[in-house]
Amino acid sequence: MILKKDYDLTSLNTFGISANAKFFVEINQEIDIPELFQLKEFKDNKKLFLGGGSNVLFTEDYDGIVILNKIKGIEILKENDLYVLLKSKSGEMWHDLVLFVVDRGWWGIENLAYIPGTVGAAPMQNIGAYGAELKNTLENVEAYDIESGDKRIFTREECEFGYRDSIFKNKLKDKYFITSITLKLSKVENKNLSYKVLQNYLEENKISVENPRDVSDAVTGIRKNKLSDPKVIGNAGSFFKNIFVEQEKLKKLQAVWSDIPFFKEDLPTQAGEVIKIPSGWLIEQCGFKGKRFGNVGVHDKQALVLVNHGGATGKEIKDLAIQIIDAVREKFDLILVPEVNLI
Ligand code: EPU
C-alpha cells in the first residue's frame, strides 16, 4: 500500500473532471484493510472510497484521503440444481460480474448489464435498470466499520433498499467500507422482459430470448445506443433521479400537460401507489436536451445525462445542474434530486 500526495483524479472519474486528492491510496486485497485503518493520514482526514468513479462529481479538490478500491475476486459459495450463491469482492467491475454470471446461464442480473462502476457501488444506490434492481438478487453485503475496524454482514433487509437508495447513503453514510456482496442467482429460467423499451428492442431486432446472455446483450445494445461512452464524452449516467408523485399531483400536471409520461410503481418504502415521472421528460420540456453551454451540456439522446464536452470543471457541471433544477421547479413545481454524489 503506497500513500501518495496531491494525486490527480482526472482518469478516476467518468466525468473526466480534473481534481486533486490531498492523499491517495490504492488497496488491492482485503488483508490490507487493518493497515489502512491504522494509517495516520486515514484517521486524521475525511475519506472517500472510490470504485469506478462513475457516480461522483468533483466540484473542487478533495481535501482528504481517497481510497481506490481494487479488491477483486468472484467465488461460488453454494450451488444446487435451482440456484447459485455467488460472492464478489467489491473492487470487481459490475459489468464483468454480469458477464461472469450470464456466461454460465444464471438468471438475475442480466437486465443490469453494462452499468458502469464497481460491485461495491451497486448496493450503495441499489442499481436498477430495465425493470430490475439489485435488491431482487442480493443476499447480503459485507462491510467494515471505518471507526472500529469490525466486519459486519448486512442482510438484504438491513440494507434498507429503496429507489436508488440504501442505508449506506443515509444513516450509515461514510461509516462503512463495503468489501463484498453475495447474490442468489437462479439456474431456472427467470426472464424479466416487462420493461417496454427492452420489449421493443427485442421485437425490432427479432431476438427470442433463450438465455440470460440474450437479455444482457440486448440491454448492452440499448445502453450503447443511448448513452455515450464516458471514454469518448465524460458523463456519469443519469445525473438526476426520477421523481415520484401522488395521484393528486399527477392530475394537476395532466391538466396542463396532457401528454406527460408516467409509470405506476410499487415501492416498498412508500405507502400506497406511487407514480414515477421521468425526469428526462421534464428536463427535455424545459428545452435543455442536446444543449451545450461552453464545456458542459445535456445529452442529445437522454436528457437525464449531463456531459463534459472537454475541459469542464466540476463547478460548471454543478452550475448547469442548478440551472436545470431551477427551470424544472419553475415550470412544474417539482424538485429534481441528483443521483450523482457531489463531492
Ligand atoms: N424521457 C424523455 N426524454 C429524455 C429521456 C427520457 O422524455 O430525454 C422519458 C420518456 O418518456 C421515456 C422515459 O423518460 O419513455 C423513460 O426513459 P428511459 O427508459 O431512458 O429511463 P429513465 O427513467 O430516464 C432510468 C434510469 C437509468 C436506466 C434506465 C433504463 C434513473 C435515474 N435512471 O432512466 O439509469 O438505464 O431507467 O432502465 O432511474 C443511471 O442510473 O445512470 C441510468 C442510466
Side-chain angles (χ1 to χ4, degrees):
M1 204 167 51
I2 302 162
L3 184 78
K4 293 177 180 158
K5 285 184 185 168
D6 293 323
Y7 195 81
D8 178 17
L9 302 168
T10 314
S11 64
L12 297 179
N13 71 95
T14 60
F15 257 126
I17 299 291
S18 117
N20 277 4
K22 188 166 144 198
F23 298 110
F24 175 86
V25 68
E26 180 176 312
I27 101 160
N28 297 294
Q29 35 183 359
E30 204 170 325
I31 52 167
D32 291 340
I33 292 175
E35 189 192 337
L36 169 72
F37 285 8
Q38 287 310 313
L39 210 65
K40 188 176 176 328
E41 287 79 2
F42 183 85
K43 284 190 193 159
D44 295 350
N45 285 283
K46 61 174 181 174
K47 307 146 186 67
L48 177 69
F49 288 92
L50 203 57
S54 55
N55 211 33
V56 287
L57 175 66
F58 291 109
T59 57
E60 54 188 13
D61 285 339
Y62 188 69
D63 186 28
I65 181 165
V66 168
I67 304 103
L68 183 65
N69 177 6
K70 287 279 182 96
I71 306 175
K72 289 188 192 270
I74 300 175
E75 182 192 355
I76 296 171
L77 297 183
K78 188 178 171 187
E79 187 172 4
N80 62 25
D81 291 344
L82 299 177
Y83 67 86
V84 182
L85 276 186
L86 190 72
K87 182 171 176 174
S88 169
K89 294 279 200 270
S90 54
E92 288 285 347
M93 291 313 291
W94 172 260
H95 185 61
D96 292 343
L97 178 63
V98 173
L99 291 178
F100 182 98
V101 166
V102 296
D103 282 346
R104 283 160 181 78
W106 304 333
W107 300 86
I109 54 172
E110 62 282 358
N111 294 39
L112 304 177
Y114 214 62
I115 293 184
T118 53
V119 165
M124 291 285 245
Q125 56 161 348
N126 180 27
I127 54 169
Y130 303 99
E133 280 184 299
L134 178 71
K135 73 170 163 62
N136 305 137
T137 49
L138 186 125
E139 277 289 293
N140 63 54
V141 170
E142 263 180 42
Y144 282 81
D145 183 326
I146 291 168
E147 278 292 311
S148 68
D150 294 342
K151 189 169 177 173
R152 176 171 161 191
I153 296 178
F154 292 82
T155 62
R156 181 191 309 132
E157 288 70 29
E158 285 169 342
C159 291
E160 296 180 9
F161 287 127
Y163 166 68
R164 292 297 199 274
D165 207 16
S166 77
I167 195 165
F168 306 107
K169 279 180 95 175
N170 294 295
K171 255 186 277 174
L172 299 185
K173 192 172 183 332
D174 300 330
K175 300 254 186 292
Y176 278 86
F177 171 34
I178 294 171
T179 46
S180 67
I181 68 170
T182 297
L183 302 176
K184 187 174 181 179
L185 303 156
S186 177
K187 282 195 169 178
V188 183
E189 188 180 279
N190 194 11
K191 295 181 211 173
N192 174 1
L193 308 178
S194 57
Y195 202 85
K196 199 90 200 104
V197 176
L198 178 56
Q199 266 176 31
N200 293 346
Y201 184 91
L202 293 168
E203 273 165 31
E204 277 159 24
N205 293 282
K206 301 192 174 46
I207 301 165
S208 88
V209 171
E210 309 284 334
N211 55 56
R213 177 89 204 203
D214 293 336
V215 180
S216 67
D217 282 350
V219 167
T220 302
I222 300 170
R223 291 190 81 105
K224 279 192 174 163
N225 247 332
K226 215 171 195 180
L227 303 170
S228 301
D229 183 346
K231 286 186 199 110
V232 181
I233 182 163
N235 75 87
S238 305
F239 192 90
F240 299 102
K241 294 186 194 187
N242 284 317
I243 289 185
F244 291 90
V245 299
E246 295 187 345
Q247 187 70 41
E248 218 170 289
K249 176 71 183 173
L250 177 67
K251 276 200 189 128
K252 278 189 192 157
L253 291 164
Q254 282 174 320
V256 188
W257 293 277
S258 55
D259 59 341
I260 186 167
F262 65 92
F263 305 88
K264 293 199 170 158
E265 298 225 348
D266 188 24
L267 290 185
T269 42
Q270 236 98 5
E273 196 175 53
V274 279
I275 292 140
K276 181 172 95 177
I277 309 275
S279 297
W281 185 85
L282 301 170
I283 297 167
E284 186 173 346
Q285 295 306 303
C286 291
F288 285 102
K289 192 169 181 172
K291 283 267 167 68
R292 182 174 175 159
F293 305 83
N295 295 328
V296 300
V298 177
H299 200 284
D300 58 351
K301 291 190 189 140
Q302 166 56 289
L304 258 192
V305 177
L306 305 190
V307 297
N308 171 6
H309 285 292
T313 62
K315 189 172 174 305
E316 283 173 283
I317 302 264
K318 187 181 171 184
D319 288 347
L320 173 59
I322 293 170
Q323 204 184 323
I324 292 171
I325 292 170
D326 288 346
V328 168
R329 191 202 292 117
E330 183 86 353
K331 198 173 173 98
F332 298 101
D333 189 27
L334 291 170
I335 311 286
L336 288 178
V337 175
E339 183 193 292
V340 168
N341 292 314
L342 275 71
I343 309 287

